[in-house]
Amino acid sequence: MNYIFNKGKEDKPVFLLLHGTGGDENSLLALAEIIDPEASVLSVRGNILEHGMPRFFRRLAEGVFDMEDLAFRTKELYEFIGEKAAEYGFDRQNIIAIGYSNGANIAANLLFEYENALKGAVLHHPMVPNHEATVAKQDGTHVFIVAGVNDPICPQQEAIDLERYLTDAGANVTLEWESNGHQLTMNEVQKAKAWYERTF
Ligand code: MLT
């Protein structure tokens, strides 16, 4: 996988940055810098190309995921994180994902599939990645979801259902709304920063 790793302060978490459709490993670097400039960063580019646009897993149509590919790519990403933790010597238990849209969806699926994948996650405009899943135990995982009330790609109910799935699995979930559509706004980045500062 294409990626960027920037080492931060030893006692700080590693931000796993996961871009939206059409983004790449550079897209969310500025956002990580706003949330905590001292954190390490592992920013990954999705391995799928949809009409030239990088993504983290295939979809059959807007909002309709290729579930086989989602499972394969989630495992691939999980193993990739483990390899990079060994290579760069960071703590596998100290990772906070920051994902937008398609990147938020694969971050959510990491939580659905693996008990210890992430210490926390900031999910900008996510959907429920898999309605059939038995969600892995998430006791002690902190999740911040921010969704748009007029988001045509990720309807409100998706964020509400995702909150419920993760809460039922034991995660500590905060859900916030933006009076906006699907776009990632500076206002929500500031909300994520405030949540990060009071949580970690
Ligand atoms: C997805 O495919 O993950 C969602 O529809 C969000 C998007 O990337 O447009």
Side-chain angles (χ1 to χ4, degrees), residues 6-183:
N6 292 330
K7 191 165 168 35
K9 277 202 170 164
E10 208 60 58
D11 58 332
K12 291 285 185 160
V14 177
F15 288 156
L16 172 68
L17 304 184
L18 303 165
H19 61 81
T21 301
D24 65 23
E25 65 274 32
N26 295 293
S27 302
L28 302 183
L29 291 175
L31 206 137
E33 186 71 23
I34 292 168
I35 294 179
D36 186 349
E38 294 184 338
S40 293
V41 166
L42 177 63
S43 189
V44 186
R45 186 193 308 177
N47 260 345
I48 296 298
L49 277 183
E50 183 187 86
H51 308 300
M53 295 185 295
R55 285 177 55 86
F56 286 96
F57 55 88
R58 290 184 206 287
R59 62 180 162 182
L60 307 174
E62 178 72 64
V64 184
F65 301 155
D66 177 334
M67 300 311 288
E68 210 175 295
D69 193 58
L70 173 62
F72 178 82
R73 299 295 165 189
T74 303
K75 184 166 183 282
E76 179 182 56
L77 179 60
Y78 180 78
E79 289 171 356
F80 174 82
I81 297 164
E83 281 164 26
K84 294 302 145 197
E87 187 178 332
Y88 293 109
F90 63 78
D91 181 359
R92 183 74 186 75
Q93 305 308 318
N94 201 14
I95 298 172
I96 298 171
I98 302 175
Y100 168 55
S101 189
N102 181 244
N105 294 341
I106 199 158
N109 207 48
L110 277 173
L111 295 171
F112 273 32
E113 295 283 333
Y114 298 100
E115 195 175 327
N116 296 315
L118 302 170
K119 173 176 164 176
V122 176
L123 307 176
H124 294 275
H125 305 266
M127 297 173 74
V128 175
N130 181 359
H131 284 275
E132 312 297 322
T134 304
V135 181
K137 266 177 59 183
Q138 291 300 335
D139 295 329
T141 308
H142 297 279
V143 182
F144 182 77
I145 299 173
V146 58
V149 291
N150 297 310
D151 189 332
I153 295 169
C154 301
Q156 281 193 28
Q157 195 59 42
E158 290 291 318
I160 293 166
D161 289 347
L162 183 59
E163 178 190 33
R164 185 176 44 80
Y165 276 112
L166 292 171
T167 303
D168 288 351
N172 195 334
V173 187
T174 302
L175 170 60
E176 296 239 5
W177 295 99
E178 281 286 281
S179 47
N180 253 314
H182 194 60
Q183 66 271 40

